[in-house]
Amino acid sequence: MSISPELRAALRALGRARDEKPDGGDLAAWRERVAEALETLAPLLIFPEDRRRAAAEAAEARAEAARIRTSRPPE
């Protein structure tokens, strides 16, 4: 089975985003990048359950980013 160039690129983008987890940097921005990669990937997946799971993981990543931002002390 051949993987489309779009799917291959989306999978690589997700891998890169996940690999870029900061050790002390902006965790909220990193979670947003992961969410964006998942949102790009989701419609390219073959199985509906995989699409739903990727979309749910993207939503959770965005929610986590929002929680991180709201828990920061004001500057």
Side-chain angles (χ1 to χ4, degrees):
M1 178 184 207
S2 178
I3 296 176
S4 73
E6 295 83 9
L7 178 56
R8 186 180 314 277
L11 289 167
R12 285 186 178 145
L14 177 58
R16 279 192 306 273
R18 287 187 169 160
D19 288 346
E20 293 172 352
K21 183 175 181 179
D23 286 331
D26 191 350
L27 188 59
W30 172 70
R31 291 302 285 157
E32 288 285 346
R33 288 191 303 275
V34 169
E36 289 169 9
L38 285 162
E39 289 165 350
T40 299
L41 174 63
L44 301 172
L45 296 171
I46 296 169
F47 299 107
E49 180 58 30
D50 292 338
R51 290 191 297 268
R52 284 190 292 274
R53 193 176 5 205
E57 191 175 333
E60 178 53 36
R62 288 200 186 278
E64 184 179 3
R67 285 191 299 273
I68 291 166
R69 286 188 177 104
T70 60
S71 68
R72 289 182 185 160
E75 294 180 15

